[in-house]
Amino acid sequence: MDKLSQAHIDELEVVEAIYPEFLQTVSERPNALIRLEIPVNCTQQTFTIQQELYANVPKASSSPITLDLSHLPPLILEILLTPAYPEHSPPIIRSLSSRYSWVARKSSQELKYHLSQMWTEGDSVLCNWVDYIYSGEFLDTLLPSRHISHRSPLTLAGLLRNHQAEALNEAFVSQSFPCPICLSSLKGSKCITLECAHVACRSCLSDFWGFCITEGDIGRVQCPFPECIKAGNEAGEEDVRRIITDDLLKRWKWLRAKRAVDLDPTIVLCPLDFCQSPVPGPPKTGDDTESNWDRLRTCPSCGYSFCSLCRRTWHGPHTPCVSSATAEFILEYMTLPDDAPKKAQIETRYGKANMKRLVAKYLEEKALKEWLSESTTPCPGCSVNVEKSMGCNHMTCSKCKQHFCYRCGTKISAANPYAHFSSPGQPCFNKLFDFAATQEEWVPMDIFNGL
Ligand SMILES: [Zn+2]
Ligand SMILES: [Zn+2]
Ligand SMILES: [Zn+2]
Ligand SMILES: [Zn+2]
Ligand SMILES: [Zn+2]
Ligand SMILES: [Zn+2]
Ligand SMILES: [Zn+2]
């Protein structure tokens, strides 16, 4: 007999109907030969992959690898449906293997035996076989401790991991999910799984979040499912990054940082352009003393260490801030009235004592600068500040021996220094000596009348 019997045809139709993708080939001659490729889809469980032991390799050369898996690569069965099946004998399993050989040979033999045992006289057993493997039930008999032996545990672990990921993705893509925003049911390929494990429609989320971010309402950038809204959980950065455009992501981060700073005045933003993450202040210690170390901030997201006052790379607790960077800021602070909330905010952020020190330092530097610009002139040769006490405007720098004019600061020739003051038409003509003329000028008396 080289044709499929009606019983075989009926049974294969049932298998095909329940598991449309598992039945691979059917050849009818000389016997009915079918090929079943049955993947394993069980509840998630931990598998241990260990080095297969040989007689000549006494000890395992690599440590076992554990994996949590719910999808395992298919078992491949070639089965002969003889005329005696199903009445008088079970189908003959010509071969039983597994993709990537994740089931060891010995276990395959064992499984063959178990499958044959499942048949009882007159019983169509194929669907039971498929179900036994597909559901992972066979694992309890074959691998009760879930230990898989393989020649190369590392290679197999990689393959099993890939298979798991692909299978999960396939399952996700073909499944349908109800979208809580548009209320329609969408295929997984159009959806996204959020960090909270909720699945939402990608286009609805990107529209909605985009709108909220544009409006500046970042509190509503959250998972659209009622539980998450009720819990007030906001979406994490990974989720937001996956759904909206780069520009909106930037704005979202900026809005979030701004909100954090508004809520907690000890927070400063990371000064690196690309980062700008909120950086919290140092932990509050019991006592009220402030140390220079309080100015040190390290950005939790990019690791940059900087001074919270001048926003430059951390310059140690003993080096003062580069004053030009802070001058404007200190001036602003100094001009704020004592009861201004902004003043209190600055003091919370940087420490009151720090601000006091900065102001004192600023005033000191300012006074020094004023004195320098009034009483000295930098040498045009070496830039050292040269103070003129008395005498003529012809100066010789004590450091570099450069001759120069104190009045206009230009270099003059050492060979003929006075030409600078004796050439008519030159700005310093006749100005070898400057008398403090203004002090001797006549001052009208009525200026003092108001005093
Ligand atoms: Zn939707
Ligand atoms: Zn959620
Ligand atoms: Zn940073
Ligand atoms: Zn600084
Ligand atoms: Zn002179
Ligand atoms: Zn000099
Ligand atoms: Zn001059």
Side-chain angles (χ1 to χ4, degrees), residues 36-101:
L36 284 169
E37 206 170 313
I38 310 163
V40 181
N41 183 0
C42 54
T43 53
Q44 177 133 329
Q45 40 199 289
T46 306
F47 290 82
T48 307
I49 309 166
Q50 56 200 11
Q51 179 77 53
E52 193 178 344
L53 297 178
Y54 306 99
N56 56 343
V57 183
K59 267 179 91 180
S61 54
S62 60
S63 49
I65 300 166
T66 59
L67 286 177
D68 286 335
L69 301 170
S70 55
H71 294 261
L72 289 138
L75 268 51
I76 302 143
L77 289 83
E78 277 185 12
I79 302 164
L80 272 175
L81 303 179
T82 62
Y85 171 75
E87 291 308 322
H88 308 294
S89 64
I92 297 169
I93 301 170
R94 278 228 319 216
S95 73
L96 195 165
S97 59
S98 54
R99 194 183 292 171
Y100 314 134
S101 307

Side-chain angles (χ1 to χ4, degrees), residues 146-192:
R146 303 296 188 262
H147 282 225
I148 298 173
S149 292
H150 198 265
R151 279 159 194 269
S152 169
L154 205 65
T155 311
L156 182 64
L159 292 167
L160 291 183
R161 240 184 246 121
N162 278 351
H163 176 84
Q164 167 88 358
E166 270 169 32
L168 284 178
N169 185 47
E170 247 168 62
F172 178 77
V173 162
S174 54
Q175 206 179 329
S176 285
F177 299 93
C179 169
I181 300 175
C182 64
L183 303 173
S184 56
S185 188
L186 287 127
K187 279 266 177 275
S189 51
K190 298 215 181 316
C191 295
I192 187 161

Side-chain angles (χ1 to χ4, degrees), residues 222-290:
Q222 55 185 167
C223 163
F225 281 82
E227 303 96 288
C228 284
I229 294 176
K230 219 173 143 201
N233 298 333
E234 284 184 22
E237 183 167 338
E238 248 345 281
D239 279 349
V240 177
R241 186 193 305 281
R242 284 161 72 205
I243 286 166
I244 59 169
T245 61
D246 272 5
D247 281 349
L248 281 172
L249 176 70
K250 246 185 225 156
R251 179 167 159 78
W252 175 76
K253 282 173 90 171
W254 180 79
L255 285 166
R256 227 168 42 135
K258 194 173 157 291
R259 184 183 59 183
V261 173
D262 288 346
L263 287 175
D264 179 357
T266 64
I267 286 177
V268 293
L269 297 186
C270 173
L272 296 188
D273 265 0
F274 65 85
C275 182
Q276 301 200 359
S277 306
V279 184
K284 267 270 162 269
T285 47
D287 56 282
D288 225 23
T289 53
E290 285 168 355

Side-chain angles (χ1 to χ4, degrees), residues 14 75 129 152 410:
V14 173
L75 268 51
W129 283 6
S152 169
T410 53

